[in-house]
Amino acid sequence: MRFPRSSGILLHPTSLPGPWGIGDLGPSAYAFVDFLAAAGQSLWQILPLGPTGYGDSPYQCFSAFAGNPLLVSLDALIQRGLLSYDEAASAAAERHLSPDVVYYGEVLNLKLPLLRRAFERVLAGAAPDLAGDFRAFQAAQAGWLADYALFMALKDAHAGQPWNAWEPPLRDRQPEALARARQEHAATIAFQEFLQFLFFHQWSHLKAYANQQGIAIIGDAPIFVAYDSADVWANRDLFFLDASGNPTVVAGVPPDYFSATGQRWGNPLYCWREMAQDGYRWWVERMRAVFAQVDVLRLDHFRGFAAYWEVPAEEETAIKGRWVRGPGADLFTRLEAALGSLPIIAEDLGLITPDVHALRDQFDFPGMKVLQFAFDTPENPYLPHNHVPNCVVYTGTHDNNTSVGWFQGLTEEERERVRAYLGRDGADIAWDLLRLALMSVADLVVIPFQDVLRLGAEARMNTPGLLGQNWAWRFRAEALNDGLAGGLRFLTAVYDRLPPALKPAKEQEGELEYQPVDV
């Protein structure tokens, strides 16, 4: 579907400021929405919101349906009387927390005990209205919540081991074993469900506030799910797994200019033929859940729906893989039939073939253009003079260096090509590229907040292939100032991307009408 000419900012909630070691869904998130509105923006793009595990990547989550409890706002619980500020501050003082970097282990050890304390107070009768909402949430979300909460309780009972290392009756989901586990771990299951309730309760209020301010939320969904997830454990028949639950083939990408061995991602691959038998029920429910959380969805690795790289699980690299046809238009036709119009952005970066473009264009999904990839030849499709309106322009993505860091890493010859195209000296390269994006004919523009702040490589969000030191960047509250908002709003107005409500009314007097006459 087509989108109106507009712009926004890419920022994951973990990067927001605040006193609890990680950005969350509390006051700073609302302040960021206010900043977006003041800056004339219409979009807030985030990364996946799911519960992260080893490596802290939001693209490797324990569930495609659940939310990340670390994003739950302690301030909101303090306001409801479920925690006191002093007990939260005292617990925080015992942890190594930083205003600039997320230390996930420290945040986990801070938040989980406090969240459990809040849960115990709800059970004891505090906030009775919240308790009623919790019961309603449990009933409404039972389709995924019951399996997820049990999965997390069992992971906790097995010291975090992946589900294929559990004893076979639990690994294989034998009904008697599951019934016993639900009874034995009832308290932990209820706590996990409460964490999900808090997340979605707070997220729904934040999203409603953003929408009221004219800000649409762009979410993000990876095509594949993590192997160690409730999704795979509860739906083994939908994936290529052996009798013990181990993957037989895994996802990746083939060797290319950047990697001689390709990339072996390790995610289990879908049995698309099996999924088609019930009308892609799992995908319909997944997308229904996602579109209840966000207004627009960036669908990661879109090319995998046309064809994906299948790697034998025993291979250590992705060299000995093969291309396998994906579900193609059949999946999206079924999704449209079930959900209506699909506000999807197709992440069509990387090795793209004509069948991927055809699938994207069949459903009128906008693709992506990244300016950092643009400056080698005049024919490069990422250069603005080659853009088409139905696309989204980024200066960079969460996997790229910041624009300042990127520019500093170029050779002098490469920098000269950039300067020549921009007609600028590159002294303010982040905003030079920001301006270039905004002036494009593209319907949508999204700028990473690091580039709005003109930050260098120290603010990079993720370096693919590097384990650790990723997903940890945060900014400080003073960055959200009127001067920055005003400058961004000015350029947004210059390039006609302000929301309709902010655009000045057209002058009525003095307008010239074109009325041809017969002679």
Side-chain angles (χ1 to χ4, degrees):
M1 63 180 292
R2 292 294 298 273
F3 297 91
R5 185 172 176 85
S6 52
S7 62
I9 290 176
L10 168 60
L11 179 82
H12 198 48
T14 56
S15 296
L16 290 163
W20 312 115
I22 189 172
D24 59 35
L25 308 181
S28 290
Y30 289 82
F32 184 68
V33 170
D34 292 341
F35 172 85
L36 289 172
Q41 303 307 296
S42 307
L43 307 166
W44 178 8
Q45 182 170 329
I46 57 176
L47 306 182
L49 292 171
T52 59
Y54 180 68
D56 309 310
S57 171
Y59 293 89
Q60 295 286 339
C61 294
F62 292 130
S63 169
F65 294 79
N68 189 345
L70 297 185
L71 292 175
V72 170
S73 167
L74 298 182
D75 295 284
L77 300 183
I78 293 169
Q79 188 176 23
R80 291 299 303 263
L82 296 176
L83 294 172
S84 74
Y85 176 81
D86 287 344
E87 65 185 328
S90 176
E94 298 176 2
R95 298 290 166 195
H96 178 52
L97 305 177
S98 167
D100 305 308
V101 177
V102 181
Y103 296 107
Y104 283 90
E106 294 291 318
V107 171
L108 188 70
N109 290 329
L110 165 69
K111 281 200 164 183
L112 280 188
L114 291 171
L115 293 172
R116 186 175 292 277
R117 197 173 304 174
F119 177 51
E120 291 167 353
R121 288 169 181 165
V122 170
L123 292 179
D129 60 323
L130 209 61
D133 291 343
F134 175 38
R135 289 190 293 271
F137 173 81
Q138 288 174 299
Q141 304 299 325
W144 64 269
L145 184 61
D147 277 326
Y148 168 76
L150 176 59
F151 173 83
M152 295 303 291
L154 289 173
K155 278 192 72 67
D156 186 53
H158 290 83
Q161 287 186 311
W163 62 266
N164 65 325
W166 302 346
E167 52 269 38
L170 290 174
R171 180 196 68 191
D172 299 335
R173 293 179 57 85
Q174 294 178 8
E176 299 83 359
L178 294 186
R180 285 194 301 271
R182 292 188 191 281
Q183 185 174 16
E184 180 180 351
H185 302 292
T188 304
I189 290 170
F191 176 56
Q192 289 293 335
E193 292 180 338
F194 181 71
L195 293 179
Q196 290 305 303
F197 163 70
L198 288 180
F199 172 85
F200 284 103
H201 182 77
Q202 294 184 4
W203 174 255
S204 64
H205 281 79
L206 176 61
K207 180 181 179 295
Y209 181 78
N211 292 165
Q212 289 165 7
Q213 304 302 310
I215 308 298
I217 304 293
I218 302 179
D220 197 331
I223 180 176
F224 301 118
V225 297
Y227 171 70
D228 189 21
S229 66
D231 308 297
V232 179
W233 177 64
N235 300 279
R236 281 175 55 172
D237 58 319
L238 301 182
F239 299 86
F240 285 105
L241 308 176
D242 64 20
S244 297
N246 300 306
T248 57
V249 289
V250 297
V253 290
D256 58 17
Y257 174 82
F258 299 100
S259 173
T261 59
Q263 297 179 45
R264 183 189 183 280
W265 294 339
N267 304 76
L269 291 172
Y270 301 112
C271 295
W272 287 114
R273 185 174 300 177
E274 185 72 23
M275 286 186 158
Q277 296 302 310
D278 65 0
Y280 303 96
R281 173 195 55 81
W282 184 86
W283 267 95
V284 169
E285 293 309 311
R286 181 189 184 189
M287 292 296 100
R288 192 191 311 278
V290 169
F291 283 121
Q293 298 175 38
V294 302
D295 301 297
V296 181
L297 179 66
R298 172 190 178 272
L299 200 47
D300 196 44
H301 196 59
F302 182 79
R303 75 105 50 248
F305 294 104
Y308 57 90
W309 190 248
E310 177 189 272
V311 181
E314 67 273 11
E315 293 292 326
E316 295 183 1
T317 73
I319 294 177
K320 296 183 179 179
R322 62 171 186 165
W323 287 110
V324 178
R325 192 177 304 278
D330 189 40
L331 171 64
F332 294 102
T333 300
R334 298 294 185 94
L335 290 174
E336 276 192 338
L339 305 175
S341 180
L342 302 173
I344 284 175
I345 296 168
E347 186 274 286
D348 55 351
L349 307 175
L351 178 60
I352 303 302
T353 47
D355 57 335
V356 182
H357 288 154
L359 179 61
R360 180 198 65 197
D361 294 344
Q362 179 178 344
F363 293 90
D364 214 19
F365 298 151
M368 290 176 55
K369 308 293 183 184
V370 180
L371 295 182
Q372 288 186 20
F373 300 160
F375 297 96
D376 53 357
T377 68
E379 297 80 25
N380 189 304
Y382 296 141
L383 283 172
H385 69 262
N386 295 320
H387 290 175
V388 296
N390 193 26
C391 73
V392 190
V393 178
Y394 297 79
T395 51
T397 74
H398 62 272
D399 283 334
N400 296 115
N401 204 340
T402 68
S403 288
V404 171
W406 163 80
F407 190 69
Q408 290 174 343
L410 298 179
T411 65
E412 181 55 32
E413 180 182 356
E414 291 168 331
R415 282 195 293 268
E416 186 54 36
R417 284 202 296 268
V418 176
R419 289 190 289 255
Y421 191 90
L422 293 171
R424 314 275 289 185
D425 65 5
D428 190 11
I429 189 63
W431 275 58
D432 291 342
L433 291 181
L434 183 154
R435 179 190 290 268
L436 188 66
L438 290 173
M439 72 171 63
S440 165
V441 298
D443 292 336
L444 303 181
V445 168
V446 177
I447 308 295
F449 196 47
Q450 293 96 318
D451 286 353
V452 177
L453 297 178
R454 299 175 167 95
L455 297 179
E458 74 283 354
R460 184 170 184 163
M461 192 63 170
N462 180 51
T463 303
L466 177 66
L467 186 62
Q469 304 174 39
N470 288 326
W471 319 110
W473 172 76
R474 301 179 71 196
F475 71 91
R476 299 200 180 197
E478 53 266 28
L480 301 179
N481 60 73
D482 293 341
L484 186 67
L488 186 54
R489 180 171 176 145
F490 172 78
L491 286 184
T492 305
V494 166
Y495 297 112
D496 193 28
R497 294 187 182 275
L498 287 177
L502 297 182
K503 292 180 180 179
K506 289 185 178 179
E507 294 287 344
Q508 295 301 315
E509 294 185 13
E511 282 193 346
L512 296 177
E513 291 188 8
Y514 173 62
Q515 296 181 335
V517 296
D518 293 325
V519 294

